[in-house]
């Protein structure tokens, strides 16, 4: 072992000396060039400060890992640490035992979230003038192992089946032009003070305990503790909430009497955190509510009855991505209608008033979130999971992958060809459904929260081949209603 700090690629034996500012990536301009599809063009950089080495992730698609944990932003390195870029393992050598202990964790790196899963996008909107956008979505993470309706047939939501999907997908092309503007574009059109709620969601996606501590009253801290007991029975609440907020949309109802109802809705798990905010920025009430309860009275399949426990979009008579968009749009609209003249949770949601209602809803939400998490774990582990590797390869190929996905709709293919390379790399897995013959992976865009990508792989002679790609917009689905 050399006395000089160095990096050794485990699979090839390639060694480079570790120096301040050393960059790692797939691009030719990096000091350590790793030609692997799981590695981003500019993946990570090493820093040396105060006698310590620091590893900083450069917003890579598949993450930088230290000792099996995906780092959030950056992390200090110590002797013996195992480092991985995407799926490429690298060994650190020359880190002397006399090196001082690593300093405390870097702020913001304490909360670790499971690797992001792939996520699909609902169909772009019809020719209706899009109403004020209603939501903002964060990056994806866990996955769901539930069975979705048969993949082959992209049946559109039962209502208006067959209505001008060409117009709908065409609208997606326009929406793609907004990639760089992301959530802030929508906030500018939304108005209504949702910027505070979106800021809270962003903070909670990085450090949930700190975000809740800042926003909640003492009484609500107690309420949150009871929610955590039921919602996250086997998961660290900090990790669970980080995933929830990073893959959620945000919508609000009109402010009345100094109080504003806001819904944080996770379309993949079909659950929502219903909150009431005071104008000064204090969160004065909250409760977990299954999407099924929010949709009661809307005449939507799975919109009434008991509390839930299952993912509604997997039970639709439609293609998976279309089902997510359909259910999400109805849920957001239902919340807005329900709270249009109401800011009291107990009056707006009758189940809240029953003795066992809140607990039953929390249990249902926990069951639904567990399905998503299980799906993501299945997708992410082991590192050589064929589905995961096939998805990474597809993102690396970008628009070239359309040459294999022969069942992609022409309008969707046109929109995908216009996506810049960095937009492809921004899609992170949110859900995976494996039916045996085919696998559906849906991914959420970390650059533009309004977009998601649906990918159908078919198994052929032991390999996974992309069969169909769908680029969709949550806002378009909402506008279609």
């Amino acid at each position: 072992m050399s006395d000089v700090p160095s990096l050794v690629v485990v699979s090839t034996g390639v060694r480079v000396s570790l120096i301040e500012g050393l960059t790692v990536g797939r691009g030719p301009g990096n000091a350590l060039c790793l030609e692997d599809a799981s590695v981003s063009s500019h993946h990570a950089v090493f820093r040396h400060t105060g006698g310590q080495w620091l590893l900083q992730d450069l917003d890579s698609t598949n993450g930088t890992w230290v000792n099996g944990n995906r780092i959030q932003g950056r992390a200090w390195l110590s002797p013996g640490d195992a480092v991985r870029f995407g799926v490429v393992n690298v060994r650190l050598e020359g880190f002397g035992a006399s090196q001082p202990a690593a300093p405390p964790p870097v702020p913001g790196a304490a909360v670790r979230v499971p690797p992001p899963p792939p996520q699909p996008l609902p169909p772009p909107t019809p020719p209706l003038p899009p109403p004020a956008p209603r939501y903002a979505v964060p990056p994806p993470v866990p996955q769901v192992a539930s069975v979705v309706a048969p993949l082959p047939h992209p049946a559109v939501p039962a209502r208006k089946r067959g209505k001008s999907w060409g117009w709908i997908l065409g609208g997606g092309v326009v929406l793609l032009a907004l990639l760089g503007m992301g959530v802030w574009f929508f906030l500018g059109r939304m108005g209504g003070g949702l910027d505070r709620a979106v800021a809270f969601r962003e903070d909670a996606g990085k450090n949930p305990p700190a975000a809740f501590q800042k926003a909640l009253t003492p009484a609500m801290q107690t309420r949150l503790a009871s929610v955590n007991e039921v919602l996250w029975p086997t998961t660290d609440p900090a990790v669970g909430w980080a995933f929830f907020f990073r893959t959620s949309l945000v919508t609000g109802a009109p402010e009345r009497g100094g109080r504003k109802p806001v819904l944080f809705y996770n379309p993949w798990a079909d659950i929502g955190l219903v909150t009431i905010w005071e104008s000064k920025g204090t969160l004065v009430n909250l409760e977990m509510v299954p999407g099924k309860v929010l949709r009661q009275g809307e005449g939507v399949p799975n919109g009434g009855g008991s509390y839930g426990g299952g993912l509604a979009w997997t039970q639709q008579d439609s293609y998976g991505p279309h089902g997510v968009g359909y259910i999400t749009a109805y849920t957001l609209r239902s919340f807005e209608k329900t709270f249009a003249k109401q800011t009291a949770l107990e009056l707006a949601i009758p189940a809240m008033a029953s003795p066992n209602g809140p607990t039953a809803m929390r249990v249902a939400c926990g069951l639904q979130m567990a399905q998503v998490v299980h799906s993501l774990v299945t997708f992410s582990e082991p590192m050589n999971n064929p589905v995961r590797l096939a998805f990474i390869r597809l993102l690396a190929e970008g628009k070239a992958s359309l040459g294999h996905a022969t069942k992609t709709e022409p309008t969707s293919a046109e929109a995908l060809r216009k996506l810049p390379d960095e937009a492809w790399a921004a899609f992170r897995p949110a859900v995976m459904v494996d039916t045996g013959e085919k696998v559906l992976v849906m991914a959420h865009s970390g650059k533009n929260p309004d977009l998601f990508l649906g990918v159908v792989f078919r198994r052929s002679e032991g390999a996974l081949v992309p069969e169909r790609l769908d680029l969709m917009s949550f806002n378009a689905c909402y506008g279609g209603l």
Side-chain angles (χ1 to χ4, degrees):
M1 179 184 297
S2 171
D3 293 333
V4 178
S6 58
L7 304 177
V8 179
V9 181
V10 174
S11 59
T12 64
V14 171
R15 177 190 300 270
V16 297
S17 297
L18 185 55
I19 60 174
E20 159 63 25
L22 181 145
T23 58
V24 179
R26 198 172 69 250
N30 294 283
L32 177 56
C33 184
L34 301 174
E35 296 181 358
D36 188 280
S38 68
V39 179
S40 298
S41 297
H42 299 284
H43 198 104
V45 61
F46 286 84
R47 298 294 184 189
H48 191 258
T49 178
Q52 291 290 309
W53 286 101
L54 185 70
L55 178 57
Q56 180 175 350
D57 183 79
L58 299 177
D59 195 24
S60 63
T61 300
N62 298 298
T64 300
W65 306 71
V66 176
N67 297 328
N69 296 310
R70 182 170 186 163
I71 68 174
Q72 302 301 311
R74 50 185 181 161
W76 296 98
L77 298 175
S78 299
D81 282 347
V83 176
R84 189 174 81 236
F85 304 105
V87 299
V88 180
N89 291 300
V90 175
R91 184 171 66 250
L92 304 178
E93 292 188 357
F95 277 60
S98 60
Q99 185 177 8
V106 178
V111 177
R112 290 193 174 96
V113 183
Q119 312 177 12
L121 310 166
T125 45
L128 302 177
R134 304 293 179 177
Y135 35 79
V137 190
V141 180
Q143 316 165 6
V144 186
S146 42
V147 179
V148 161
L151 300 177
H153 300 291
V156 180
R159 27 181 318 292
K160 301 184 183 178
R161 186 187 303 271
K163 171 152 183 174
S164 59
W165 280 109
W167 282 97
I168 294 177
L169 290 172
V173 177
V174 177
L175 285 167
L176 292 178
L178 305 177
L179 275 174
M181 306 174 81
V183 180
W184 299 110
F185 167 81
F186 293 117
L187 291 178
R189 293 173 57 201
M190 273 193 275
L194 268 185
D195 50 342
R196 181 174 62 237
V198 172
F200 169 79
R201 190 204 63 192
E202 298 303 313
D203 290 343
K206 300 172 183 175
N207 191 333
F212 277 123
Q213 182 67 36
K214 180 179 178 181
L216 293 178
T217 64
M220 284 301 100
Q221 291 285 356
T222 302
R223 168 76 66 84
L224 178 65
S226 62
V227 169
N228 287 343
E229 290 179 2
V230 180
L231 185 63
W232 312 111
T234 60
T235 303
D236 179 353
V239 174
W241 281 120
F243 167 68
F244 173 86
F245 283 110
R246 295 174 83 159
T247 53
S248 289
L249 302 169
V250 180
T251 190
E255 184 172 318
R256 302 174 63 84
R259 294 194 169 191
K260 183 176 182 64
V262 174
L263 171 68
F264 299 91
Y265 176 70
N266 190 292
W268 316 110
D270 187 27
I271 62 176
L273 175 66
V274 181
T275 61
I276 303 296
W277 295 77
E278 285 188 341
S279 55
K280 60 183 179 180
T282 303
L283 212 168
V284 295
N285 205 349
L286 61 84
E287 188 54 74
M288 293 303 303
V289 181
K292 188 173 185 178
V293 173
L294 292 171
R295 293 186 294 272
Q296 285 181 356
E298 278 296 296
V300 182
N302 301 296
S306 61
Y307 298 114
L311 307 177
W313 58 267
T314 68
Q315 303 162 22
Q316 295 301 301
D317 181 22
S318 65
Y319 175 52
H322 295 171
V324 169
Y326 176 53
I327 286 296
T328 297
Y330 261 105
T331 304
L332 298 176
R333 189 179 78 163
S334 180
F335 171 84
E336 292 161 0
K337 289 174 61 177
T338 299
F339 283 87
K341 298 180 180 179
Q342 185 59 258
T343 59
L345 297 188
E346 292 77 7
L347 297 178
I349 305 175
M352 286 281 295
S354 65
N356 299 320
T359 300
M361 289 191 294
R362 295 171 190 174
V363 170
C365 288
L367 290 172
Q368 292 171 209
M369 182 59 79
Q371 295 175 62
V372 174
V373 172
H374 178 64
S375 163
L376 290 178
V377 170
T378 302
F379 173 86
S380 302
E381 298 179 353
M383 286 300 296
N384 61 351
N385 176 13
V387 179
R388 180 179 183 278
L389 295 178
F391 183 74
I392 292 173
R393 190 178 306 114
L394 181 140
L395 294 185
E397 292 178 352
K399 59 195 73 176
S401 63
L402 290 167
H404 306 291
T406 55
K407 292 189 177 181
T408 301
E409 294 292 322
T411 46
S412 191
E414 181 182 357
L416 287 165
R417 288 191 185 97
K418 295 182 179 180
L419 278 182
D421 293 341
E422 57 269 24
W424 284 87
F427 284 109
R428 299 171 184 256
V431 173
M432 179 189 78
V433 181
D434 190 342
T435 64
E437 180 185 353
K438 299 188 180 184
V439 180
L440 169 65
V441 175
M442 294 191 279
H444 209 119
S445 172
K447 295 287 187 183
N448 183 348
D450 180 53
L451 298 178
F452 70 98
L453 175 70
V455 183
V456 175
F457 293 98
R458 59 181 172 82
R459 287 189 166 90
S460 176
E461 299 180 353
L464 283 165
V465 180
E467 179 178 88
R468 171 174 177 159
L469 307 180
D470 287 273
L471 182 66
M472 304 177 75
S473 157
F474 285 114
N475 194 53
C477 293
Y478 183 95
L481 296 182

